[in-house]
Amino acid sequence: MRLKAGVRPHGLAPEIMLGISICNQIFLARGLELVITSLVDGKHSVGSLHYVGHAADFRTRNIEPEDVQTIAQECRNNLGDDYDFVVEQNHYHLEFQPKKEY
């Protein structure tokens, strides 16, 4: 796992760190490097969970196009219901967004 140059890792919630770790294990099992392209940095929509340390973006250009959806589904299966894992146009987007209060 590595950070793209300029990615700022401070202020991350422990829950997003756990999600990143789970995804990293899936990437490693496939012989892929997980490259984090955005955390609390970058430009995102108003109210984005990136700004509060609850979201991360991962590079997809190092993944064969036919494997992008398969890897996404494997991540979803392992993350559980409190996470959203979305395939965007040119990256994966992971966010911790519980569906209920604890």
Side-chain angles (χ1 to χ4, degrees):
M1 175 179 8
R2 71 181 166 96
L3 300 176
K4 176 182 153 185
V7 172
R8 297 169 43 203
H10 61 80
L12 298 177
E15 296 87 353
I16 201 67
M17 292 299 301
L18 175 61
I20 291 168
S21 178
I22 289 168
C23 293
N24 186 51
Q25 291 303 311
I26 291 164
F27 274 61
L28 286 174
R30 291 175 162 273
L32 297 168
E33 179 180 41
L34 186 139
V35 179
I36 300 171
T37 59
S38 184
L39 293 168
V40 298
D41 50 89
K43 296 198 186 272
H44 305 281
S45 62
V46 174
S48 170
L49 294 178
H50 280 279
Y51 297 126
V52 294
H54 283 229
D57 292 339
F58 308 143
R59 179 171 290 158
T60 55
R61 71 177 185 212
N62 58 328
I63 300 171
E64 295 296 327
E66 61 271 14
D67 293 333
V68 169
Q69 291 293 338
T70 303
I71 292 169
Q73 190 58 52
E74 191 172 347
C75 288
R76 286 184 202 107
N77 292 345
N78 284 276
L79 288 164
D81 294 337
D82 288 336
Y83 292 88
D84 293 325
F85 194 90
V86 180
V87 178
E88 301 283 354
Q89 184 177 0
N90 62 356
H91 66 279
Y92 290 127
H93 173 79
L94 168 67
E95 62 184 34
F96 177 72
Q97 188 173 41
K99 306 306 182 257
K100 63 179 183 174
E101 293 295 320
Y102 292 97

